[in-house]
């Protein structure tokens, strides 16, 4: 497996981890704002689709022709971070799949040292390569997949992935573990 295939495999794994967090969540909960800044599962997927379209499209002069209305002048603030009532889950997933297909076509067509330009980065850093963007986007997707993991746990307690990346414990064992952490936090605060 060459370096591009390795990077692409890691990107694909993070994409899958992000989408998996939508499975089994109600329409309300998949879009419910779980933080003070409104972070929600469907919004994370919509945002990551936009990220992939911009970085693997505009940066390498390979436009997708998929409209990104939330980037238009006058668009609502953070419109790429949530789904409107008229945008269905399947709409957002389809949009994400289109974005990843376009990104994959760019990755397949270019060599790792292919030059690109990120016009929204500072001039000193705006000139990039496909390899740099693959790393950048993989990290971005992984960051948001981690957000989605926490959001999903807050919604219904589902945590980790299907590969068993968390210890296999009962609800009671997790409760005891959490209590132990709370006690350690309280004790540490008393020592300050």
């Amino acid at each position: 497996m060459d370096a591009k295939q390795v990077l692409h495999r890691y990107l694909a794994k993070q994409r899958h981890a992000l989408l998996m967090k939508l499975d089994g969540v109600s329409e309300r909960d998949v879009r419910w704002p779980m933080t003070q800044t409104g972070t929600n599962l469907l919004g994370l997927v919509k945002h990551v689709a936009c990220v992939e379209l911009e970085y693997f499209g505009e940066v390498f002069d390979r436009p997708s022709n998929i409209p990104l209305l939330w980037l238009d002048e006058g668009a609502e603030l953070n419109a790429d971070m949530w789904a409107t009532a008229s945008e269905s889950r399947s709409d957002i997933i389809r949009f994400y799949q289109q974005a990843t297909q376009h990104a994959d076509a760019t990755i397949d067509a270019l060599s790792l040292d292919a030059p690109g330009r990120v016009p929204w980065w500072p001039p000193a850093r705006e000139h990039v390569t496909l390899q740099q963007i693959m790393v950048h986007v993989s990290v971005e997707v992984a960051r948001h997949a981690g957000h989605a993991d926490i959001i999903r746990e807050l919604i219904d307690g589902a945590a980790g992935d299907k590969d068993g990346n968390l210890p296999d414990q009962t609800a009671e064992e997790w409760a005891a573990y959490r209590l132990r952490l709370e006690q350690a936090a309280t004790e540490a605060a008393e020592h300050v």
Side-chain angles (χ1 to χ4, degrees):
M1 189 177 293
D2 67 22
K4 185 162 78 167
Q5 290 170 319
V6 170
L7 289 170
H8 204 173
R9 189 184 75 197
Y10 278 100
L11 175 58
K13 182 176 172 138
Q14 295 309 315
R15 289 170 171 168
H16 175 74
L18 176 61
L19 279 182
M20 186 184 78
K21 292 302 168 179
L22 303 179
D23 293 347
V25 180
S26 72
E27 275 307 310
R28 176 190 175 274
D29 287 346
V30 81
R31 48 185 83 233
W32 193 258
M34 297 297 294
T35 68
Q36 292 300 309
T37 58
T39 305
N40 63 89
L41 291 175
L42 210 50
L44 288 169
V45 173
K46 186 176 177 182
H47 172 71
V48 170
C50 184
V51 166
E52 291 215 31
L53 285 171
E54 289 178 312
Y55 280 101
F56 291 112
E58 185 176 340
V59 167
F60 296 100
D61 197 25
R62 295 176 55 89
S64 68
N65 299 319
I66 299 170
L68 304 177
L69 303 177
W70 43 91
L71 295 179
D72 289 348
E73 188 174 321
E76 187 171 342
L77 181 66
N78 289 329
D80 67 320
M81 295 295 294
W82 61 284
T84 66
S86 63
E87 293 174 308
S88 71
R89 177 194 317 233
S90 61
D91 291 339
I92 300 299
I93 291 172
R94 189 171 28 263
F95 170 61
Y96 186 69
Q97 291 167 337
Q98 291 172 330
T100 61
Q101 287 168 359
H102 181 74
D104 289 347
T106 296
I107 292 166
D108 290 344
L110 303 176
S111 64
L112 283 179
D113 61 351
R117 181 178 162 269
V118 185
W120 54 91
W121 284 8
R125 294 183 25 239
E126 70 181 4
H127 295 283
V128 296
T129 63
L130 178 64
Q131 180 177 4
Q132 185 179 354
I133 292 305
M134 286 182 75
V135 171
H136 177 81
V137 172
S138 292
V139 169
E140 180 86 4
V141 176
R143 179 176 187 227
H144 293 308
H147 294 148
D149 198 28
I150 292 168
I151 295 298
R152 178 64 188 264
E153 187 173 355
L154 291 170
I155 290 170
D156 64 7
D161 61 31
K162 293 176 183 170
D163 294 332
N165 65 331
L166 291 175
D168 186 20
Q169 297 193 74
T170 66
E172 294 78 24
E173 290 169 327
W174 280 116
Y177 173 73
R178 182 182 161 100
L179 181 59
R180 183 170 171 232
L181 299 181
E182 289 173 357
Q183 289 169 342
T186 301
E187 287 177 31
E190 291 171 357
H191 297 302
V192 176

